[in-house]
Amino acid sequence: SSTVIWTMVITKFGGTSVADLAAMKRVVGIVQKRWKYDDNGPVVVVSALSKVTDQLLALVDLVKHGEMDTLNSRVEDLRQRHLEFSEISGEEFREEFVRGINQTCAELGDLVKELGVIREVSSRSLDAVLSFGELLSSRILTAALSNAGVPAAWVDARMVLVTDGVHTSATPDMASTSARVQSEVAKRLQKKFVPVIGGFVGSTHEGITTTLGRGGSDYSAAVIGACLGVSEIQIWTDVDGMLTADPRIIDSPKLVPRLSFAEASELAYFGAKVLHPSTIQPAVACDIPVRILNSYRQNGPGTLITSQPGDVNSSITAIACKRDVTVIEITSTRMLMAHGFLRRLFEVFDRFQTAVDVVTTSEVSVSVTVDDRQRLTPLLEALSEFAEVSCEQNMALICVVGSRLSTDPGVFSQIVGVLGDVNLGMVSQAASRRNITFVLSEADLSTAMTRMHDHFFSEKAFSTAQNEENLSN
Ligand code: ADP
Ligand code: ASP
Ligand code: MG
């Protein structure tokens, strides 16, 4: 339904890419280059400065405890942090810049003080507080671009992303958002402006501020990019691209140069934080390539994600993992084989709005993993009404992704072999057979990841795959 047919990209910059003045200058350079050489755009989406969303969440905790003095000083810290960027606005606009930051921070201060009176924060109010991070960062980046001679135009994300009313994890309404993108974003592009939009934030049809869930700026960029029909969605971050494993667990993971949409979705869903799990949906729907790039090393190739399969030569593509997973085992000797049991079971998860990640079944039991423990206690009680229930916390999940998993049965046995004495809980292979998921104790996660990664991505395995690629080129 997109009506814009120009060739242009949308560039999204994460919190670490705008962490401080030096980082912000790099971002300005990247945008400036695209603006110079592309026919149109780019459209810019930016996250809150790194850690700011966490700090806003911490404010809300202080509100709940009525710690008003600390609250004031934390708002003041946030104001100072953002004012550190005033140099970037240029002499001429310095005063206006400082005034803007002061005013926004005063609004934030007023809001949290109001909440402090009743010491209660609804999810609706929480979203209002969280939105300040992106509102501030997008203002700063707009000023920085203008000062560098790029005709940037700040766009209020709340006027663009129309979402449902599920606060703290809202879903965009594509039809309404598309109309708003035409009026708020495309219009500015036609006038040769570079639109700058805060990620993560939206609002309901009624105009109430919402957020898309942690890490949601990627999703904002994909949604807006899809509405504009851009030629590429670029996710600029602090690593070289999608890596073969989480760099916080594995010492030197390798860059994955190409991924299919399906593989990328799977990795994102099962813990590869570099992409918000919903990012791929709008890209798939409009067949728009997604590229992950490092803002600290602009000239790297990054990871290109398209509808095409990734590297078909490597045994596996990448390994994702998630900590802090809860396993629930539901046992019922009488009822499991009876029809209607699974319906009844999952109705409970639906009632308590708890998403299930992995499911395995045996003759008398069903095991599921969940991420979200907010409603765990009532959920377990409801399940206990018709089955025996046990629950294990501090579990982890490993998801191995690769197209060869479906064609080469040897890969699976290699995985199990290399894991050795690591005690595996649930094992699940999707019908697509593009991935295998293991559940294990969190204490074993690092060992299991290291053993698998060493086996599949050691220098030797890697150079072999590279040679094959070179030969085929
Ligand atoms: P941004 O602020 O740019 O949105 P994020 O912190 O959300 O950045 O995502 C980037 C981080 O994701 C990396 O710094 C890295 O620690 C983490 N990460 C986890 N798994 C992977 C993976 N497989 N590949 C790349 N990064 C990963
Ligand atoms: N600032 C938000 C967060 O930290 C959104 C994002 O960075 O993508 O979750
Ligand atoms: Mg992110």
Side-chain angles (χ1 to χ4, degrees), residues 12 215 218 273-274:
K12 176 264 170 177
D218 302 334
K273 190 189 170 216
V274 69

Side-chain angles (χ1 to χ4, degrees), residues 47-48 53 134 200 214-218:
S47 294
T53 306
E134 270 71 9
F200 179 56
R214 296 307 304 273
S217 297
D218 302 334

Side-chain angles (χ1 to χ4, degrees), residues 252-281:
S252 37
K254 310 287 188 301
L255 175 68
V256 182
R258 294 200 55 124
L259 279 172
S260 66
F261 286 136
E263 288 173 325
S265 285
E266 225 108 49
L267 290 167
Y269 188 80
F270 288 108
K273 190 189 170 216
V274 69
L275 266 191
H276 181 278
S278 304
T279 312
I280 297 298
Q281 284 167 26

Side-chain angles (χ1 to χ4, degrees), residues 300-424:
T303 297
L304 180 62
I305 307 167
T306 65
S307 57
Q308 301 302 308
D311 181 2
V312 289
N313 290 318
S314 56
S315 305
I316 64 176
T317 308
I319 314 169
C321 61
K322 237 182 190 179
R323 290 177 187 280
D324 209 13
V325 166
T326 300
V327 176
I328 304 172
E329 188 171 306
I330 303 115
T331 309
S332 169
T333 42
R334 289 169 299 125
M335 293 184 65
L336 188 64
M337 299 306 284
H339 67 84
F341 181 77
L342 288 176
R343 183 192 53 71
R344 192 167 174 195
L345 185 86
F346 286 113
E347 187 273 325
V348 175
F349 286 89
D350 186 33
R351 181 150 33 105
F352 293 97
Q353 293 163 47
T354 300
V356 164
D357 286 338
V358 184
V359 185
T360 61
T361 63
S362 76
E363 201 186 343
V364 292
S365 72
V366 179
S367 301
V368 306
T369 70
V370 301
D371 221 8
D372 177 4
R373 277 197 304 265
Q374 276 184 79
R375 302 168 198 86
L376 189 63
T377 310
L379 184 142
L380 293 176
E381 272 167 24
L383 289 172
S384 311
E385 282 168 19
F386 59 92
E388 226 172 90
V389 183
S390 69
C391 172
E392 219 170 339
Q393 301 195 356
N394 302 322
M395 300 297 281
L397 194 153
I398 295 180
C399 178
V400 183
V401 170
S403 50
R404 276 265 285 275
L405 285 169
S406 61
T407 51
D408 185 350
V411 178
F412 183 78
S413 58
Q414 278 179 53
I415 294 172
V416 176
V418 80
L419 283 175
D421 60 358
V422 172
N423 199 4
L424 294 181

